[in-house]
Structure formats: C-alpha cells, structure tokens
Amino acid sequence: MRSVSVIGIGETKMGKLADFWLRDMIKEAGEKAISDANIDRNQIEALYMGNFASQYLCLQGHMGPLASEVLNLGNIPTVRTEGACASGGLAFRQAYIAVAAGLYDIVLVGGAEKMTHQPTEVVTTGVAGAADYNLEVSIGATFPSIFAMLAQRYFYEYGDVREQMAMCAVQNHDNAMLNPDAQMQKRITVDQVKAGFPVAYPLTVYDCSLVTDGSAFVVLAATDVAEKLSKKRIVEIVGSGHAGDTLTIATKKSLTTLYATVHAAKQAYQMSGLKPSDIDLAEVHDCFTITQILNIEDLGFFEKGKGGRAVMEGKTAASGQIPINVSGGLKAKGHPIGATGLSQIYEIVTQLRGEAGARQLKKANIGLTHNLGGTAATCVVNIFRGR
Amino acid sequence: MRSVSVIGIGETKMGKLADFWLRDMIKEAGEKAISDANIDRNQIEALYMGNFASQYLCLQGHMGPLASEVLNLGNIPTVRTEGACASGGLAFRQAYIAVAAGLYDIVLVGGAEKMTHQPTEVVTTGVAGAADYNLEVSIGATFPSIFAMLAQRYFYEYGDVREQMAMCAVQNHDNAMLNPDAQMQKRITVDQVKAGFPVAYPLTVYDCSLVTDGSAFVVLAATDVAEKLSKKRIVEIVGSGHAGDTLTIATKKSLTTLYATVHAAKQAYQMSGLKPSDIDLAEVHDCFTITQILNIEDLGFFEKGKGGRAVMEGKTAASGQIPINVSGGLKAKGHPIGATGLSQIYEIVTQLRGEAGARQLKKANIGLTHNLGGTAATCVVNIFRGR
C-alpha cells in the first residue's frame, strides 16, 4: 500500500447554526477543502461521508449523493460510513485504504451533523442508537449514564479523579478561547464544573460534550500526486489503525481500559514506527471528561491510573509536554457527531502547517487523532507527519 | 490490487420474521456464512455491515459492533456502510477494496434489516430518507411516486411498457416458487398485476418490491488464501464497479437512463475484460418493475427501449438467454434493504457452485449483481466467475 497525504481541509464554525441545514454546512466546508487543496473538483474520484444521526434527527439518509450533488461532483462513487461518534473517522479510514490501494489518486472525505434543531430528548434518543437499544437503551441507559458508570469504576480501581476530570473541561475551554471555529468561548473553573447541573454522578453538565451543528472535510491524495499538486505543507498519514469492541457495556473485558483504543493505537504506532513520546500533539475523543483521562492512558501518553495527575500537572495543556485537544475538543470546540473525526484532522493539519494563528503550537510536526464511537465499540487512530 | 474471492455465504429466510430481532437474524446468517467458509471465526480480520433504516425503524445504529458482539469476533474493526438500498453492495465494495489492497486476508461482510414490525406509514417515512427530505419528501414524494414518474417518462420516450413491467413481476414470482428463502411463494398473472391495488400510476402494489426482514452474509478472502482454505468451488470477483449520481430526481441528466448503473457497469466490465453477452445470469435491483427494465438496458443486456420486448419474449426468464433474478428478486424473494446487495451475491454464488437445487441453472459460470440506492444515486455492480 502506498503513502497517502492530506492536501486540503475545510470546516464550518461549530455551534447552533440556525440558518444552516445539512446542505448548507456541507457546501461551506466542502468548498473550503476543495479550494484549500488547490484542485479542480473534476479531479475528485470518490467521496466518503461520515454521518451518525441524520436519519433520525433530520429524516435524511443517503448522505453521499446529497453531498455529491451539493458539491457538483458528477457521477463519482460515494459512501456514507456510520460507527456512532466515530463515523467521521471511519470515512477517513475507508478513503485512506482506497487511495493507499491505488484505486483512486484523489478523494474527498467529509462529515456533517445537524443536531440543534431538535429538542434535547429527541437528540438523546437519536444518540442512544450508538448503544444497544434492546439491552441498554430500552431499560433507561443513555450515554451520560453509561460513561458515569465508567467513571465510577475508574474511581474504584484507581482512585477518585473528580477534580482531574473537571480540569480536562477547564483546559479544553481555555483552548477553545483561541479557536474561532469553537462553539464555546468562555472560561470555566474546576469549582464551576463540580457544581454544575448534575447529569449522572459524577458527571455534571460541564463534564459532557456539546450538541453541535457542523461539518468538516479533508482532501486526500496519494503522496506522489500530492507533491505535484500542493502549494502548502503536505501532511502525510504515517500511521492508521482501526479496531472495535463489543457494543454493550456488560460484555466488555474492562471498563477502565478501552481496548478498541488500545488496539487501534497499537496498529497506528506500529505502522508509523513511532511511539507515544514521539507525538507532538493529539486530538482525543473527549465525549465526557472521564473519557479524556481514559484516552490519554489508553493511547500510551501516560500510565494507566496516572492520567488524571498528568492533567493536573499541566502536562496536557497547550503549554505542556503533550498538548491534548488544543482545538477545544468535543467539550468546547463542539461535537457535530459525524464530522468530529474530520474536525480533529482539520486541527492537526492546521497545526502541522503552522496555520493555527493564536493557538499555534511551537512544536507541531507529528500529530495524532483518536475518534471513538459508542461505548468504545469503534475506534480509529491516525498519526500525521508534516513533510 | 490482488484477486479476491467469495468463500462463504449465508442468509436467513426472507419475510415477516416476527420472532427475529436484528441480533437473531445477524446470528443466523452470519454463523451460516462462517461455517460455509470452513474457517474459524478468529481468522476474520474485519467486518463490514450494510444497513439502511434501523436508526429510524429500530432506534438502532452502530450495527458493526452489534454484529461483531453477536458473532463473537473480538476486537476486529467494523464499519457500517449506508447508501440507501445499495447499503449492502457498499459494504461488499469496501470489503473487497480492503482485501484487494492487501490490508486483510479474510473479512466478513453482512447486511441486515428489520422492517415488518413497523406500520406501513413509518416504513414509508424511513425509506424516504433515501431521497432528499427537504426538496422531495417534505413535498409529498415517496419512492413509489418517484419511480412512477420514471415509468411515465419511459412511456413518453420509448412507448408504453405497462404489460412488460407486469411480466417482470410475473417472472420474478415464478422464480421465487423455487427459492425456499423467498418471501412470496405464489404465482401471479399479468392481468392481476395490472388490476392490483393502485399505488402511483402506472404502478400497482404488484409492481413494488416487498417490505422484508432478513439478513445475508458473505466471507471474502484473497484468492490465494481462498485456494488453501475452501472445500467448495471458489467464486472470484473478476469485476467491481461503483458509481453515483445526484440525489434528487430534478437534477438527473436522464430519467430513463440511470447513469450510476451505466458507469458502475462500465467499470466492472472493463476490469473483468467481459462484455454483457458473456454474463450467464444476473441479479438486478428490481425495486419496482420499471426499474428492472431500466436495469437490463443500462447493464447492456438489451438496447435502450428494447428491454420490455426482451422480457415479453422470455429472454430474461430462467430458461432465457440471460436469466434475471432467478432468486425471485426484490419483488418476490424480498427486499430487506441493507441485506439486499449481499443476498444478490448469495444467489450468484449458490448458482455458480451448482448448489441452487430446484432453481439451478444449467449454465452458471459468470454472474453479475446490480445493487441500486435511492433514485439511482448509488450503484454497485460486481461480476463473479467460478474458478
């Protein structure tokens, strides 16, 4: 399989985009990515679209041809991928495989989700489809309740990290202050998080990611093609991994080590020949604050049980040894579900190109993305290096 | 890219499976395919799942890990693909690419849909998500009405084929009589079809495919691996094509030539070095009877405008020059949407192995599948040859 690189990126602002329907978001983010790649749209050979909940929230399936029509891509093949909150990461993974295989030279990958037009209870029901309806949702489990159980088990096995979870939210909000695309732009404190409206113990509303409208796109090209086309720094995919786990929480081997992450990360590290300490920055899937702590441990940045302490010591802050979610993450940039995996890549490429403006990190040559679906039942990890 | 073959197949009976929920159907069809392939489940490296409407009809997304859990596949990567009624074909296509690329040696591909537990109006709304909600569905268009417009346009351009459409239904019902998995097992007449309950002129209820519960799975392997493993006739994928079109009917270049089919077929023929006259049998996407006539023309079996006459002359019957839908097709075998593309492959492999019992064709060495999504906005065509 041959080398593949990212040559174009685009995203909408994240948030409550009242005047933007799916078509409008896709058009804005898709056109930005095509323009950024410095290609003609006729050069695009296939389209991969991540979307999770639009069949329920918008009565709209078949997102591939919808996006192809909006972006005027003709008769190219399209596919929508769905793996809950990892739907965008899966679109990227399938596109990567097809280009690496030599089937296509240039492909477009996008994600979009429209969520804020629905009442909270409808969003909650739609999102709960990422768990098992019969065995979990129908008996009252929702995602906050499931991740609250993971947090409680973590407390039991490794000690209470309530304060450290809150600090994840604080740092992500701090980071989002410098990201113009972020949904949240206000600082919060650890005390505010802990005293927030209770959702499912120990999670308060400040421990939960956001309900977001948004879209993000990237253009992939075979690296040899990219070198001829691109006028910007080429960002090569040097590692890619994809793993899964059972759907239900009752059947997991562990509630505090998420094996889908462990396996996907192992693949990506092996392929790249890199180790966790080689990574300059990472965007990880902080659907809840406890997940961010689990993620930075499962990705090998910190030992199991030590992630919370690392957060408190500032090691994951923008100025720390391994900046996590400098975009603001799902918690503060926002979580437009099917677009999230692509928006993570948008941030890494922006940083690796040195185009991140006020939030630009000094050292940004190797970046990692981690996109998780459901109760860690789907995980895609990618490692990128600027050439 | 290397050669890939089908080494295992399995499907449920199609129909109203009142006691079968998604898990039960997936377990039955998936276990059959694994057993048929003569492999241990630990050899399966990835799972691709086609599903269209379960997020709406069953409040269940994230079908990949659901199926992986049911089939006890551990931490392998999974992805759900969705492209309306071509969701199963897309799963197969992505799996094919990954194995052909050398990423995996053995993968499992499945599709499942649970539909009959919902009232007709709920099914109609869910299925309409394959069209554009804002531009088509919200103003009253449903799939029967859209395909009725295609039929009327065909009548205008090429002459009335009402009788010939009815004959497609008659032949598919005849074929289903010999398929124990088929939902419908009764003969009908041309007069019955024409006098059926009117749905959208010229379509009556007998011109429309069925609402079906069902699941189908196939096991793919790199052909060199398949040769070592398989105790049955290996069925090689010698051609594969995937193309698309705009989502909305208003933006199509033609309503009587479906260009997604034309382009996907062209790719598959070119890759295989075969021409339409080389094909021994085909399973084509007869969501409506008019679609079957369009398909056999767009696939090159008959000239545009001449498909109806060929049907009346018996050329597409099981005893004809190019048997179409010997399984009974979507019309009579049934249309469990996300499983349909895999069930078509099930039939072709069964025929190419000589395992089709009472409906076995005498000449079955090269078979074609054609899976269409929405208003021909997604199309996957595959050509298979027995080795």
Side-chain angles (χ1 to χ4, degrees):
Chain A
M1 291 172 61
R2 63 184 174 165
S3 169
V4 181
S5 292
V6 181
I7 61 167
I9 54 171
E11 73 176 18
T12 61
K13 180 164 171 51
M14 305 297 162
K16 185 173 173 65
L17 309 179
D19 296 334
F20 278 55
W21 196 242
L22 284 164
R23 281 184 171 255
D24 310 301
M25 297 192 295
I26 288 168
K27 187 165 180 62
E28 180 176 317
E31 293 288 355
K32 278 181 181 172
I34 294 168
S35 168
D36 181 65
N38 192 37
I39 57 168
D40 186 278
R41 72 192 65 231
N42 295 331
Q43 294 175 270
I44 298 167
E45 295 165 82
L47 170 64
Y48 293 77
M49 282 296 295
N51 170 263
F52 172 46
S54 289
Q55 287 184 283
Y56 189 78
L57 300 180
C58 310
L59 298 178
Q60 184 64 66
H62 220 178
M63 195 71 68
L66 185 145
S68 177
E69 178 175 326
V70 169
L71 298 170
N72 196 20
L73 299 177
N75 289 104
I76 64 166
T78 73
V79 59
R80 169 195 166 204
T81 57
E82 186 266 311
C85 302
S87 298
L90 288 177
F92 184 85
R93 170 78 175 171
Q94 301 308 311
Y96 162 75
I97 293 170
V99 177
L103 187 64
Y104 310 119
D105 282 342
I106 300 176
V107 303
L108 184 63
V109 192
E113 207 79 53
K114 177 71 186 172
M115 307 178 73
T116 68
H117 61 300
Q118 293 282 13
T120 303
E121 60 273 23
V122 175
V123 173
T124 301
T125 303
V127 171
D132 189 289
Y133 181 76
N134 287 52
L135 302 178
E136 297 179 322
V137 183
S138 66
I139 55 169
T142 61
F143 271 93
S145 69
I146 291 172
F147 277 87
M149 287 189 270
L150 265 56
Q152 291 183 31
R153 182 71 197 182
Y154 189 94
F155 290 8
Y156 174 79
E157 291 183 22
Y158 299 105
D160 187 317
V161 288
R162 180 69 198 94
E163 196 97 358
Q164 292 86 337
M165 287 161 56
M167 183 56 86
C168 289
V170 169
Q171 287 178 0
N172 286 348
H173 274 248
D174 283 350
N175 290 340
M177 295 293 290
L178 300 176
N179 183 354
D181 290 340
Q183 182 168 359
M184 279 285 169
Q185 300 199 318
K186 67 169 183 182
R187 292 191 198 282
I188 54 173
T189 65
V190 165
D191 287 343
Q192 269 180 298
V193 176
K194 289 163 68 181
F197 186 83
V199 175
Y201 180 79
L203 307 178
T204 74
V205 70
Y206 286 107
D207 290 285
C208 304
S209 55
L210 307 174
V211 173
T212 306
D213 303 330
S215 178
F217 276 74
V218 307
V219 179
L220 294 188
T223 299
D224 57 345
V225 174
E227 281 168 343
K228 288 173 203 147
L229 284 173
S230 190
K231 296 191 174 172
K232 299 197 170 183
R233 187 183 196 190
I234 293 168
V235 174
E236 186 182 2
I237 303 149
V238 293
S240 174
H242 174 199
D245 204 339
T246 56
L247 187 64
T248 57
I249 190 174
T251 54
K252 306 266 178 217
K253 284 189 188 137
S254 167
L255 298 183
T256 55
T257 294
L258 303 179
Y259 282 103
T261 296
V262 170
H263 289 286
K266 188 178 172 191
Q267 291 169 34
Y269 288 129
Q270 279 186 343
M271 176 179 157
S272 66
L274 297 167
K275 49 191 189 305
S277 59
D278 294 323
I279 308 296
D280 294 331
L281 74 159
E283 292 281 308
V284 309
H285 197 91
D286 58 317
C287 48
F288 300 95
T289 50
I290 183 64
T291 327
Q292 182 153 330
I293 292 176
L294 296 175
N295 297 339
I296 60 177
E297 295 172 350
D298 293 335
L299 290 165
F301 298 139
F302 303 101
E303 269 179 61
K304 185 53 69 182
K306 304 282 177 65
R309 185 190 301 171
V311 170
M312 292 310 276
E313 291 171 353
K315 290 181 178 169
T316 60
S319 57
Q321 75 179 55
I322 171 74
I324 299 292
N325 291 341
V326 284
S327 70
L330 285 59
K331 175 69 199 80
K333 183 187 64 186
H335 186 18
I337 302 180
T340 285
L342 283 313
S343 182
Q344 292 177 325
I345 294 166
Y346 179 94
E347 179 66 19
I348 294 295
V349 172
T350 302
Q351 290 283 348
L352 266 51
R353 283 179 178 174
E355 294 179 347
R359 71 185 185 287
Q360 180 64 48
L361 299 175
K362 280 185 190 156
K363 182 155 183 268
N365 285 307
I366 298 173
L368 178 148
T369 58
H370 164 265
N371 191 198
L372 201 62
T375 315
T378 299
C379 184
V380 179
V381 171
N382 296 297
I383 301 173
F384 301 87
R385 181 156 51 191
R387 282 170 71 95
Chain B
M1 290 170 61
R2 63 183 175 165
S3 170
V4 181
S5 292
V6 181
I7 60 166
I9 54 172
E11 72 176 16
T12 61
K13 179 162 171 53
M14 304 297 162
K16 184 173 173 65
L17 309 179
D19 296 334
F20 277 56
W21 196 243
L22 285 163
R23 283 184 170 253
D24 309 302
M25 298 192 295
I26 288 168
K27 185 162 181 64
E28 180 175 319
E31 294 287 357
K32 279 181 181 173
I34 295 168
S35 167
D36 181 65
N38 191 38
I39 56 168
D40 187 279
R41 72 194 66 234
N42 295 331
Q43 293 175 270
I44 298 168
E45 295 166 82
L47 170 64
Y48 293 76
M49 281 298 295
N51 171 265
F52 172 46
S54 290
Q55 286 183 284
Y56 189 76
L57 300 180
C58 309
L59 298 179
Q60 184 64 66
H62 220 178
M63 195 70 67
L66 185 144
S68 176
E69 179 176 325
V70 169
L71 297 170
N72 195 18
L73 300 177
N75 289 104
I76 64 167
T78 74
V79 57
R80 169 194 166 205
T81 57
E82 187 267 311
C85 303
S87 297
L90 289 176
F92 184 85
R93 170 78 175 170
Q94 301 309 311
Y96 163 75
I97 293 169
V99 177
L103 188 63
Y104 310 119
D105 282 342
I106 300 176
V107 303
L108 184 64
V109 192
E113 206 79 52
K114 177 70 187 173
M115 306 178 73
T116 67
H117 61 299
Q118 292 283 11
T120 303
E121 61 272 22
V122 175
V123 174
T124 301
T125 303
V127 170
D132 189 288
Y133 181 78
N134 287 52
L135 302 178
E136 297 180 320
V137 184
S138 68
I139 56 170
T142 61
F143 272 94
S145 69
I146 291 172
F147 277 87
M149 288 190 269
L150 265 55
Q152 291 184 29
R153 182 69 195 183
Y154 189 95
F155 291 7
Y156 175 80
E157 290 182 25
Y158 299 106
D160 186 316
V161 289
R162 181 69 198 93
E163 197 96 359
Q164 292 85 339
M165 288 162 57
M167 184 55 86
C168 289
V170 169
Q171 287 178 1
N172 286 348
H173 275 248
D174 284 349
N175 291 340
M177 294 294 290
L178 301 175
N179 184 354
D181 290 340
Q183 182 168 2
M184 279 284 170
Q185 301 200 315
K186 68 170 184 182
R187 292 192 198 280
I188 54 172
T189 66
V190 166
D191 286 344
Q192 268 180 301
V193 176
K194 289 162 69 181
F197 186 83
V199 175
Y201 179 79
L203 308 178
T204 74
V205 70
Y206 287 107
D207 290 285
C208 304
S209 56
L210 308 174
V211 173
T212 307
D213 303 329
S215 177
F217 276 74
V218 307
V219 179
L220 294 187
T223 299
D224 57 345
V225 174
E227 282 168 343
K228 285 172 208 150
L229 283 174
S230 190
K231 297 191 172 171
K232 298 196 172 187
R233 188 183 194 188
I234 293 168
V235 174
E236 186 182 1
I237 302 150
V238 293
S240 174
H242 174 198
D245 204 340
T246 56
L247 188 64
T248 57
I249 190 172
T251 54
K252 305 266 177 217
K253 283 189 187 136
S254 167
L255 298 184
T256 56
T257 294
L258 303 180
Y259 282 104
T261 296
V262 170
H263 288 287
K266 188 179 172 190
Q267 291 168 33
Y269 288 130
Q270 279 186 344
M271 176 179 156
S272 65
L274 297 167
K275 47 190 189 307
S277 60
D278 294 322
I279 307 297
D280 294 330
L281 75 159
E283 293 282 307
V284 309
H285 196 93
D286 58 316
C287 48
F288 299 95
T289 51
I290 183 64
T291 326
Q292 182 153 331
I293 292 176
L294 296 174
N295 297 340
I296 60 177
E297 295 172 351
D298 294 335
L299 290 166
F301 298 140
F302 303 101
E303 268 180 59
K304 185 53 69 182
K306 304 282 176 64
R309 185 190 301 170
V311 170
M312 291 310 274
E313 291 171 353
K315 290 179 177 169
T316 59
S319 57
Q321 74 178 56
I322 170 76
I324 299 291
N325 291 341
V326 285
S327 71
L330 285 59
K331 176 69 198 81
K333 182 188 62 187
H335 186 18
I337 301 180
T340 286
L342 282 314
S343 182
Q344 292 178 324
I345 295 165
Y346 178 94
E347 179 66 19
I348 295 295
V349 172
T350 302
Q351 290 283 347
L352 266 52
R353 284 179 177 177
E355 295 178 346
R359 70 186 187 285
Q360 180 64 48
L361 299 174
K362 281 184 191 155
K363 184 158 183 268
N365 286 305
I366 299 174
L368 179 147
T369 58
H370 164 265
N371 191 199
L372 202 63
T375 315
T378 299
C379 185
V380 179
V381 171
N382 297 297
I383 301 174
F384 301 88
R385 182 156 51 191
R387 282 169 72 95

